[in-house]
Amino acid sequence: MSELEKQIQIYYDTNKIIKAYHLAFYLAGWDSETGCPIGTIQSRSDALGTLSELGFKIRTSKEYNDAIDYLYEHREELDPVLKHEIIGQKEDIEDTKKFPIEEVVELSKLENEIHPVYVQAKLASDFNMFKPYLEKMIGFQKRKIEYISKDNQFNNYKGYDVLLNSFEKDMTMEEYDKFFGLLKEKLVPFIKKVTAKKLDYDREFTTKVYPKEQQAIMSEYLRDVMDFDRNYTILRESEHPFTSGNGNKDVRITTHYYEDCISSSMLSIIHEMGHGLYELHVSDEIDATMSGGGASMAMHESQSRFMENMIGRSKAFWDTHYAKLQSIFPEQLGNVKEDDFYKYMNEVQCSLIRTEADELTYPLHIMVRYEIEKKIFNGSVTVDELPSEWNRLYKEYLGIDVPNDKAGVLQDIHWALGSFGYFPTYALGSAYAAQFYNALSKDVDVDKAVRSGNLKEINAWLKENIHKYGSSLDPKDIILKATGEEFNPNYYIDYLINKYSKIYDIK
Ligand SMILES: [Zn+2]
């Protein structure tokens, strides 16, 4: 066995152990989110603490890190998937090494303290309560930027770009400025026209009760429509919907049923199945490596939003499946016209809360956060000024007044988690989705495929052009391969303006 083969063997053997730990954490996490007895929390958190220490020891073991170093030195001799993976691993290790141990200890202390304070501050709608902790967290982020950008052998990113790149590889302010600049120029005036109108339909059905048991029947129906293979997937309930998984043979999604809202769970299930299909469709070859799962946050979000918005809110979809929904809810929807239901599913409203925003106004919520984060890291806004800056931008972009911090600057948990640079990937995901949709339409008659009653044909295209690669390629390379061009936000703008001009009858 050559030295190279020996090191590859060490790398693979250690990954097997890491994957086994991952499975244990994944199952424990799933269990606690979907219904373990409340009394087990203390004893299980002790055991998980031990497991996590053991896992950390293996990941940071000298043998494993030496193998990665060796393979990195010899990366040109590796197959492309392993080469890409080793570069990513090496970059992570180098970044981690740059933090002084005191910083790591300080951060984990702050992480423990900040969460309960955030929850309390949000409940009390009191930004001042959260402020000192947020100041510390931002201070840490600024130092993180310095540590990572110092002597960086992988890229030259500085400032906020360091954080942006950590969530979506090679996306920087230069690219996001172009993207959000276009959204601001094209979408803000368009949304003003849309929201000046009110969709004309009878809203009585939106006030009815939709029992959970019947909604669950629709969920199972939607699993068939989406071709979400029951051999490898399950659906459960949880407080907030999410997707979780362990490789391409075990994908689990959750939903939350609201009996006073018929659209919420259906759309969230379609969204989570979009994430889930991505995981299921990673090729077996890639799944056996450490390059399974999605290529990035925005890539994952592109798949869920494609299913939720472009398929799940489309006319073709409801032309095909509305009769089924009516048959499940004859009393509530028996006399409701499909066209009215379609309008309800696509109604636009400038609102305060990001997670409840419609498809069209959603990116404006992200723009507000992006503008603010940029200012935080170029020093043009202080932590004191965050609430007023937030409120000012909501007025400017969405035309609404923010009544309090709970519905304003305190609404999202991301900053309390230290996730700065994360928000822009949500909007980027929708824009990727529109570009993929355009490419898909050249190969597949999407309308006809949706009307066939099953998404098999669409799924096959997504698998072949996006999903099968897992994270073995960078997002930019997948976009180029799948669509034949670099990221182009115009597809997203065109898609939105086209769709909502029709619905709102705007010439
Ligand atoms: Zn999602």
Side-chain angles (χ1 to χ4, degrees):
M1 196 186 254
S2 71
E3 187 57 24
L4 186 69
E5 284 165 342
K6 198 180 138 200
Q7 296 299 329
I8 290 176
Q9 198 58 46
I10 293 173
Y11 179 69
Y12 282 147
D13 287 348
T14 314
N15 286 341
K16 260 191 179 168
I17 306 174
I18 293 172
K19 283 189 172 195
Y21 277 100
H22 176 262
L23 176 65
F25 279 108
Y26 153 65
L27 290 175
W30 170 262
D31 186 47
S32 66
E33 297 271 3
T34 57
C36 67
I38 187 110
T40 180
I41 287 174
Q42 188 55 46
S43 61
R44 84 157 46 205
S45 92
D46 289 347
L48 286 174
T50 307
L51 264 186
S52 115
E53 257 175 55
L54 291 171
F56 180 77
K57 271 188 195 152
I58 289 165
R59 269 199 322 279
T60 54
S61 71
K62 188 167 178 329
E63 198 186 29
Y64 186 56
N65 282 269
D66 286 350
I68 291 172
D69 278 341
Y70 184 91
L71 296 177
Y72 183 72
E73 293 299 318
H74 295 82
R75 59 189 179 276
E76 297 310 329
E77 296 158 50
L78 306 174
D79 70 69
V81 171
L82 186 56
K83 179 184 167 186
H84 181 265
E85 191 173 303
I86 289 293
I87 295 173
Q89 295 266 29
K90 177 77 177 162
E91 194 171 348
D92 279 352
I93 291 171
E94 292 303 311
D95 282 355
T96 314
K97 271 193 210 158
K98 289 178 173 173
F99 290 86
I101 185 74
E102 313 84 71
E103 282 283 16
V104 179
V105 174
E106 239 352 84
L107 178 67
S108 91
K109 223 175 99 190
L110 177 61
E111 282 171 343
N112 278 326
E113 289 167 356
I114 196 170
H115 186 255
V117 176
Y118 165 73
V119 173
Q120 258 188 313
K122 185 176 172 181
L123 271 176
S125 193
D126 182 356
F127 181 75
N128 283 332
M129 199 191 274
F130 182 50
K131 203 183 83 180
Y133 294 85
L134 183 60
E135 249 159 9
K136 274 195 205 169
M137 185 54 95
I138 289 172
F140 173 79
Q141 298 296 324
K142 288 182 175 170
R143 294 195 301 284
K144 174 177 164 182
I145 289 171
E146 294 307 316
Y147 294 135
I148 292 183
S149 55
K150 193 167 173 248
D151 304 326
N152 195 320
Q153 51 178 312
F154 301 96
N155 60 59
N156 293 317
Y157 300 138
K158 302 271 179 269
Y160 184 39
D161 283 348
V162 171
L163 304 179
L164 291 170
N165 175 62
S166 73
F167 286 103
E168 189 71 10
K169 196 164 186 300
D170 297 329
M171 277 302 288
T172 61
M173 278 188 280
E174 194 186 333
E175 307 222 17
Y176 277 123
D177 280 348
K178 269 189 247 159
F179 174 44
F180 287 114
L182 200 64
L183 291 185
K184 192 172 167 177
E185 182 198 332
K186 300 274 170 68
L187 279 192
V188 173
F190 178 70
I191 288 171
K192 291 215 165 95
K193 279 192 221 164
V194 167
T195 50
K197 290 189 154 186
K198 194 168 164 50
L199 285 180
D200 180 25
Y201 69 99
D202 184 355
R203 286 169 173 75
E204 207 207 326
F205 70 92
T206 66
T207 63
K208 298 217 163 134
V209 174
Y210 294 85
K212 206 166 117 169
E213 296 71 25
Q214 282 154 267
Q215 290 199 45
I217 296 171
M218 189 63 189
S219 301
E220 291 304 321
Y221 174 80
L222 289 172
R223 285 173 82 181
D224 292 331
V225 171
M226 302 270 294
D227 207 24
F228 201 59
D229 193 337
R230 285 189 179 76
N231 288 317
Y232 308 112
T233 66
I234 52 176
L235 164 67
R236 295 280 184 274
E237 284 175 55
S238 67
E239 190 51 38
H240 301 285
F242 67 92
T243 300
S244 179
N246 186 58
N248 67 357
K249 300 285 188 293
D250 179 356
V251 175
R252 305 175 187 202
I253 63 167
T254 69
T255 192
H256 190 97
Y257 294 112
Y258 295 92
E259 298 203 321
D260 59 354
C261 177
I262 180 59
S263 60
S264 172
S265 167
M266 287 195 298
L267 289 171
S268 86
I269 284 178
I270 295 173
H271 179 101
E272 300 308 329
M273 282 195 279
H275 282 303
L277 287 164
Y278 194 172
E279 300 281 330
L280 284 175
H281 289 162
V282 172
S283 73
D284 287 339
E285 213 184 354
I286 295 291
D287 189 63
T289 69
M290 298 298 265
S291 301
S296 71
M297 302 283 183
M299 283 293 293
H300 237 300
E301 215 49 30
S302 77
Q303 299 310 294
S304 55
R305 281 167 202 260
F306 168 76
M307 285 301 180
E308 177 190 344
N309 294 327
M310 289 156 196
I311 303 295
R313 292 183 207 255
S314 69
K315 191 81 181 68
F317 192 84
W318 290 108
D319 279 352
T320 316
H321 305 295
Y322 184 62
K324 176 70 186 179
L325 188 66
Q326 274 183 313
S327 76
I328 296 174
F329 295 103
E331 280 167 38
Q332 297 88 335
L333 295 173
N335 295 319
V336 177
K337 284 185 292 183
E338 184 208 322
D339 202 45
D340 286 1
F341 183 78
Y342 175 68
K343 283 178 182 162
Y344 159 69
M345 292 298 266
N346 288 287
E347 187 145 42
V348 176
Q349 209 169 21
C350 285
S351 61
L352 288 162
I353 308 294
R354 175 184 63 85
T355 54
E356 291 162 18
D358 56 79
E359 180 186 15
L360 181 62
T361 59
Y362 187 87
L364 302 191
H365 291 259
I366 301 302
M367 245 162 75
V368 169
R369 289 150 178 83
Y370 173 68
E371 292 291 325
I372 293 180
E373 288 189 352
K374 256 180 26 175
K375 288 184 176 179
I376 290 175
F377 294 101
N378 70 21
S380 62
V381 68
T382 64
V383 177
D384 265 318
E385 291 162 344
L386 289 180
S388 58
E389 186 59 12
W390 182 284
N391 300 350
R392 187 184 72 75
L393 288 168
Y394 262 78
K395 187 78 187 171
E396 183 184 334
Y397 295 155
L398 288 127
I400 50 177
D401 293 306
V402 179
N404 54 53
D405 293 342
K406 185 179 178 182
V409 70
L410 289 176
Q411 67 178 268
D412 294 307
I413 195 170
H414 298 61
W415 291 346
L417 298 173
S419 296
F420 291 85
Y422 187 157
F423 284 122
T425 67
Y426 290 128
L428 192 62
S430 301
Y432 285 175
Q435 187 166 338
F436 289 136
Y437 187 17
N438 183 270
L440 163 74
S441 307
K442 290 178 194 158
D443 297 338
V444 173
D445 182 340
V446 179
D447 194 78
K448 200 173 142 211
V450 172
R451 287 175 197 278
S452 77
N454 180 291
L455 298 189
K456 276 193 170 80
E457 199 184 349
I458 292 172
N459 286 349
W461 189 94
L462 295 172
K463 179 179 182 177
E464 184 53 32
N465 291 283
I466 302 166
H467 299 169
K468 70 173 185 190
Y469 299 115
S471 56
S472 68
L473 294 174
D474 288 343
K476 283 191 173 173
D477 296 326
I478 296 175
I479 290 169
L480 195 58
K481 263 180 184 288
T483 72
E485 58 181 313
E486 288 178 359
F487 170 54
N488 178 353
N490 281 302
Y491 291 112
Y492 182 42
I493 312 268
D494 291 349
Y495 156 79
L496 288 173
I497 291 182
N498 259 326
K499 175 173 174 179
Y500 288 92
S501 293
K502 273 193 204 123
I503 295 171
Y504 276 82
D505 192 23
I506 288 167
K507 302 283 182 273

